[in-house]
Amino acid sequence: MELLIKNVNIVDSSKAFCGDVYINNGKIEDIGILNRDCEVLDGEGLYLLPSFVDLHAHFREPGYEYKEDILSGSMAAVKGGYTAVNLMGNTNPTCSYMDIVDYVLDRARRIGLVDIHQTVTITKDMLGKDIDHLKLIDERVKFISDDGKGIVNNKVMLLAMQVAKEKGITVISHAEDDEISKIDTRLSENLMTKRDIELAKFTGCSLHIAHVSTKEAMEEIATAKDKGIKITCEVTPHHIFGTSSLNYKVNPPLREREDIEALIRAIKRGYVDAIATDHAPHTKEDKEKGAMGISGIEVAFPICFRKLVLEGHITLNRLIKIMSENPARIMGLNKGKIEVGYDGDLVLVDLKRIIKLIHQAFYQRGKTIPSMDMKFMEG
C-alpha cells in the first residue's frame, strides 16, 4: 500500500515544516516536496505528528470485558492517536503466564488496529511472593509489573530485579506500600519510589517508575537520574491537570497544585521520559462503588496539549518527544519520529478546530471521567 500525505505541517521532536510524506508498505520512504502515482491525502492546514505510544494502559481482557476489551480499547486508542500500547497484567486470570500473553497478542493481531505489548506480572498471580514464573517468560516480554499493587517485600523485589537484569527486561514500579497507604498515600509513594531506586541501583536492572504523582517522588527520581542511575519515569495526563478537589478516585490519587507544578517543572527540565495514560476503564456502577481508575486514552493528547503547550510550558516538539519518541524507544519500537525508515504510524491533528468533550461519543467502554469543563481540538 502506498500513500502520499501532501501539504501538511510535519512536526516531530526535532523539526517542524510544511511538506509531504510518502509511505510505502507501512514505512516512511520519503519526505519533502513530492509527487507519486498513488493515493493522495491532502493535509492542508493540519499537523502531521508521529502517532502516540502508551507505555501504560489496561484493556481489561481477559476477565473484565464488561469494563473494556481489546477491541474497544484498540478503537479508543486509535481515536486518541495511539498506534502502540503496553498493557498491564492485572486481568483475570492475571497475566503471570505465557498462555495469557499468547491469548492477548493473538487477539490484538486479529483485530489489527494497534500494536499491543503485554506486560507480565512480577509476582505469580500478583500475590507478592512467588517469582518462579519469570523463568518461563520469553523474548516477547519486555516489561514486568504488578501494577495496581506495590511489591511490599524488599527481598522479592530485589530478586525480581535480578531476574529482570539477567533477561534484559524492564521492571515497571507501582510505587506503593498498601499498609502505609492506609495512613498516608503520599508517604507510601515516596518511600517506595526511593526503595525501588535503591534496588535498581544495587541490581543494575532497568527500572521504569509508573504514574509519578508527588513532588517528593519526582525529586527522588531527578536526583537519581543526575547520579546516572538507570531509570525512566512517566506521568499521566490526569496528574498534571486535576487536583484532589475533583474528588475522583484514581491510584495514585490526584494530588495538590504544588505537585502539578513540580511535575511540570520536571517535564520542562527533561526528567520525565513519557506521558502514559494509565487508561483504566470501569463501569459507572463500579466507579460509584469506589473503583480506582480513569479512562483517558481518547483525550490524553488534547489534555496535554492544552495544559503543557497552550499554557506555554513546553513546545509541541517537546510534547511529541514524551508522547511518541521516548515511549517508542523505551518499548524498542521503530516509531515515534517522522524520518525515512520509521514506521508510517502517523496522526493528523487539527489544532484549530475546537470540540466539546462528549462522553457518550467515546469508543472506550469506561465513559465516566471527571467533568473538567474543557474543550478540545479535534484529531
Side-chain angles (χ1 to χ4, degrees), residues 140-160:
R140 291 171 295 168
V141 177
K142 301 176 182 179
F143 305 97
I144 55 174
S145 178
D146 274 16
D147 186 64
K149 292 183 178 181
I151 306 296
V152 176
N153 187 292
N154 295 333
K155 184 178 179 181
V156 169
M157 190 58 145
L158 172 63
L159 294 175

mmCIF file of all heavy atoms in Angstrom, residues 140-160:
data_model
loop_
_atom_site.group_PDB
_atom_site.id
_atom_site.type_symbol
_atom_site.label_atom_id
_atom_site.label_comp_id
_atom_site.label_asym_id
_atom_site.label_seq_id
_atom_site.Cartn_x
_atom_site.Cartn_y
_atom_site.Cartn_z
ATOM 1 N N ARG A 140 9.386 -12.105 23.940
ATOM 2 C CA ARG A 140 8.272 -11.203 23.631
ATOM 3 C C ARG A 140 7.916 -10.294 24.802
ATOM 4 O O ARG A 140 7.238 -9.283 24.627
ATOM 5 C CB ARG A 140 7.049 -12.014 23.208
ATOM 6 C CG ARG A 140 7.192 -12.714 21.868
ATOM 7 C CD ARG A 140 6.043 -13.655 21.618
ATOM 8 N NE ARG A 140 6.031 -14.755 22.580
ATOM 9 C CZ ARG A 140 5.019 -15.599 22.734
ATOM 10 N NH1 ARG A 140 3.930 -15.464 22.008
ATOM 11 N NH2 ARG A 140 5.096 -16.575 23.617
ATOM 12 N N VAL A 141 8.345 -10.661 25.980
ATOM 13 C CA VAL A 141 8.049 -9.886 27.182
ATOM 14 C C VAL A 141 9.155 -8.867 27.413
ATOM 15 O O VAL A 141 10.326 -9.219 27.561
ATOM 16 C CB VAL A 141 7.899 -10.804 28.414
ATOM 17 C CG1 VAL A 141 7.661 -9.971 29.671
ATOM 18 C CG2 VAL A 141 6.759 -11.790 28.197
ATOM 19 N N LYS A 142 8.776 -7.601 27.433
ATOM 20 C CA LYS A 142 9.737 -6.521 27.630
ATOM 21 C C LYS A 142 9.640 -5.893 29.012
ATOM 22 O O LYS A 142 10.569 -5.214 29.454
ATOM 23 C CB LYS A 142 9.518 -5.428 26.571
ATOM 24 C CG LYS A 142 9.663 -5.915 25.138
ATOM 25 C CD LYS A 142 9.348 -4.807 24.157
ATOM 26 C CE LYS A 142 9.448 -5.306 22.713
ATOM 27 N NZ LYS A 142 9.113 -4.228 21.742
ATOM 28 N N PHE A 143 8.487 -6.097 29.676
ATOM 29 C CA PHE A 143 8.245 -5.452 30.962
ATOM 30 C C PHE A 143 7.590 -6.431 31.928
ATOM 31 O O PHE A 143 6.804 -7.296 31.512
ATOM 32 C CB PHE A 143 7.302 -4.252 30.808
ATOM 33 C CG PHE A 143 7.758 -3.236 29.809
ATOM 34 C CD1 PHE A 143 7.270 -3.239 28.507
ATOM 35 C CD2 PHE A 143 8.671 -2.255 30.163
ATOM 36 C CE1 PHE A 143 7.681 -2.298 27.579
ATOM 37 C CE2 PHE A 143 9.092 -1.314 29.239
ATOM 38 C CZ PHE A 143 8.598 -1.331 27.947
ATOM 39 N N ILE A 144 7.892 -6.256 33.213
ATOM 40 C CA ILE A 144 7.159 -6.950 34.262
ATOM 41 C C ILE A 144 6.668 -5.911 35.265
ATOM 42 O O ILE A 144 7.358 -4.929 35.547
ATOM 43 C CB ILE A 144 8.005 -8.036 34.962
ATOM 44 C CG1 ILE A 144 9.319 -7.464 35.503
ATOM 45 C CG2 ILE A 144 8.273 -9.201 34.019
ATOM 46 C CD1 ILE A 144 10.128 -8.451 36.340
ATOM 47 N N SER A 145 5.465 -6.118 35.782
ATOM 48 C CA SER A 145 4.893 -5.163 36.736
ATOM 49 C C SER A 145 3.717 -5.791 37.459
ATOM 50 O O SER A 145 2.922 -6.524 36.850
ATOM 51 C CB SER A 145 4.419 -3.897 36.003
ATOM 52 O OG SER A 145 3.834 -2.989 36.914
ATOM 53 N N ASP A 146 3.594 -5.494 38.744
ATOM 54 C CA ASP A 146 2.374 -5.802 39.490
ATOM 55 C C ASP A 146 1.530 -4.545 39.591
ATOM 56 O O ASP A 146 1.044 -4.183 40.669
ATOM 57 C CB ASP A 146 2.711 -6.332 40.892
ATOM 58 C CG ASP A 146 2.949 -7.827 40.918
ATOM 59 O OD1 ASP A 146 3.155 -8.404 39.836
ATOM 60 O OD2 ASP A 146 2.943 -8.417 42.016
ATOM 61 N N ASP A 147 1.375 -3.840 38.466
ATOM 62 C CA ASP A 147 0.669 -2.559 38.505
ATOM 63 C C ASP A 147 -0.692 -2.718 39.168
ATOM 64 O O ASP A 147 -1.451 -3.632 38.869
ATOM 65 C CB ASP A 147 0.486 -1.999 37.091
ATOM 66 C CG ASP A 147 -0.112 -0.615 37.138
ATOM 67 O OD1 ASP A 147 0.551 0.286 37.679
ATOM 68 O OD2 ASP A 147 -1.257 -0.441 36.682
ATOM 69 N N GLY A 148 -0.988 -1.774 40.043
ATOM 70 C CA GLY A 148 -2.178 -1.850 40.883
ATOM 71 C C GLY A 148 -1.817 -2.201 42.313
ATOM 72 O O GLY A 148 -2.550 -1.883 43.245
ATOM 73 N N LYS A 149 -0.650 -2.822 42.475
ATOM 74 C CA LYS A 149 -0.125 -3.161 43.796
ATOM 75 C C LYS A 149 1.384 -2.929 43.803
ATOM 76 O O LYS A 149 2.068 -3.264 42.838
ATOM 77 C CB LYS A 149 -0.380 -4.626 44.142
ATOM 78 C CG LYS A 149 -1.823 -5.014 44.373
ATOM 79 C CD LYS A 149 -1.901 -6.472 44.784
ATOM 80 C CE LYS A 149 -3.328 -6.891 45.079
ATOM 81 N NZ LYS A 149 -3.385 -8.327 45.512
ATOM 82 N N GLY A 150 1.879 -2.406 44.899
ATOM 83 C CA GLY A 150 3.318 -2.326 45.059
ATOM 84 C C GLY A 150 3.863 -3.650 45.588
ATOM 85 O O GLY A 150 3.151 -4.403 46.259
ATOM 86 N N ILE A 151 5.118 -3.944 45.275
ATOM 87 C CA ILE A 151 5.778 -5.130 45.829
ATOM 88 C C ILE A 151 6.332 -4.737 47.194
ATOM 89 O O ILE A 151 7.363 -4.071 47.303
ATOM 90 C CB ILE A 151 6.925 -5.621 44.923
ATOM 91 C CG1 ILE A 151 6.428 -5.844 43.491
ATOM 92 C CG2 ILE A 151 7.550 -6.889 45.503
ATOM 93 C CD1 ILE A 151 5.406 -6.928 43.360
ATOM 94 N N VAL A 152 5.629 -5.137 48.248
ATOM 95 C CA VAL A 152 5.982 -4.685 49.587
ATOM 96 C C VAL A 152 7.243 -5.371 50.099
ATOM 97 O O VAL A 152 8.076 -4.741 50.761
ATOM 98 C CB VAL A 152 4.797 -4.925 50.558
ATOM 99 C CG1 VAL A 152 5.194 -4.538 51.983
ATOM 100 C CG2 VAL A 152 3.574 -4.130 50.112
ATOM 101 N N ASN A 153 7.424 -6.633 49.786
ATOM 102 C CA ASN A 153 8.559 -7.399 50.289
ATOM 103 C C ASN A 153 9.837 -6.979 49.565
ATOM 104 O O ASN A 153 9.974 -7.143 48.354
ATOM 105 C CB ASN A 153 8.300 -8.895 50.108
ATOM 106 C CG ASN A 153 9.355 -9.749 50.765
ATOM 107 O OD1 ASN A 153 10.502 -9.768 50.346
ATOM 108 N ND2 ASN A 153 8.963 -10.469 51.807
ATOM 109 N N ASN A 154 10.794 -6.452 50.313
ATOM 110 C CA ASN A 154 12.028 -5.952 49.717
ATOM 111 C C ASN A 154 12.809 -7.050 48.995
ATOM 112 O O ASN A 154 13.344 -6.832 47.903
ATOM 113 C CB ASN A 154 12.923 -5.339 50.796
ATOM 114 C CG ASN A 154 12.326 -4.110 51.433
ATOM 115 O OD1 ASN A 154 11.525 -3.407 50.820
ATOM 116 N ND2 ASN A 154 12.714 -3.842 52.668
ATOM 117 N N LYS A 155 12.889 -8.218 49.611
ATOM 118 C CA LYS A 155 13.660 -9.303 49.020
ATOM 119 C C LYS A 155 13.036 -9.783 47.718
ATOM 120 O O LYS A 155 13.743 -10.066 46.741
ATOM 121 C CB LYS A 155 13.780 -10.470 49.999
ATOM 122 C CG LYS A 155 14.648 -11.604 49.478
ATOM 123 C CD LYS A 155 14.785 -12.732 50.490
ATOM 124 C CE LYS A 155 15.645 -13.863 49.940
ATOM 125 N NZ LYS A 155 15.765 -14.984 50.912
ATOM 126 N N VAL A 156 11.700 -9.871 47.676
ATOM 127 C CA VAL A 156 11.010 -10.288 46.455
ATOM 128 C C VAL A 156 11.322 -9.318 45.319
ATOM 129 O O VAL A 156 11.630 -9.726 44.192
ATOM 130 C CB VAL A 156 9.499 -10.400 46.695
ATOM 131 C CG1 VAL A 156 8.741 -10.565 45.371
ATOM 132 C CG2 VAL A 156 9.183 -11.569 47.624
ATOM 133 N N MET A 157 11.258 -8.023 45.601
ATOM 134 C CA MET A 157 11.549 -7.035 44.559
ATOM 135 C C MET A 157 13.013 -7.111 44.137
ATOM 136 O O MET A 157 13.326 -7.019 42.935
ATOM 137 C CB MET A 157 11.206 -5.632 45.049
ATOM 138 C CG MET A 157 11.253 -4.565 43.964
ATOM 139 S SD MET A 157 10.147 -4.921 42.568
ATOM 140 C CE MET A 157 9.609 -3.255 42.134
ATOM 141 N N LEU A 158 13.900 -7.311 45.087
ATOM 142 C CA LEU A 158 15.317 -7.442 44.763
ATOM 143 C C LEU A 158 15.562 -8.627 43.841
ATOM 144 O O LEU A 158 16.247 -8.506 42.805
ATOM 145 C CB LEU A 158 16.123 -7.610 46.045
ATOM 146 C CG LEU A 158 17.614 -7.944 45.899
ATOM 147 C CD1 LEU A 158 18.353 -6.825 45.190
ATOM 148 C CD2 LEU A 158 18.239 -8.219 47.253
ATOM 149 N N LEU A 159 14.986 -9.776 44.181
ATOM 150 C CA LEU A 159 15.180 -10.972 43.360
ATOM 151 C C LEU A 159 14.552 -10.798 41.977
ATOM 152 O O LEU A 159 15.117 -11.239 40.965
ATOM 153 C CB LEU A 159 14.586 -12.192 44.070
ATOM 154 C CG LEU A 159 15.286 -12.611 45.370
ATOM 155 C CD1 LEU A 159 14.522 -13.750 46.035
ATOM 156 C CD2 LEU A 159 16.726 -13.003 45.112
ATOM 157 N N ALA A 160 13.381 -10.153 41.918
ATOM 158 C CA ALA A 160 12.728 -9.910 40.628
ATOM 159 C C ALA A 160 13.584 -9.002 39.756
ATOM 160 O O ALA A 160 13.717 -9.218 38.539
ATOM 161 C CB ALA A 160 11.347 -9.298 40.842
#
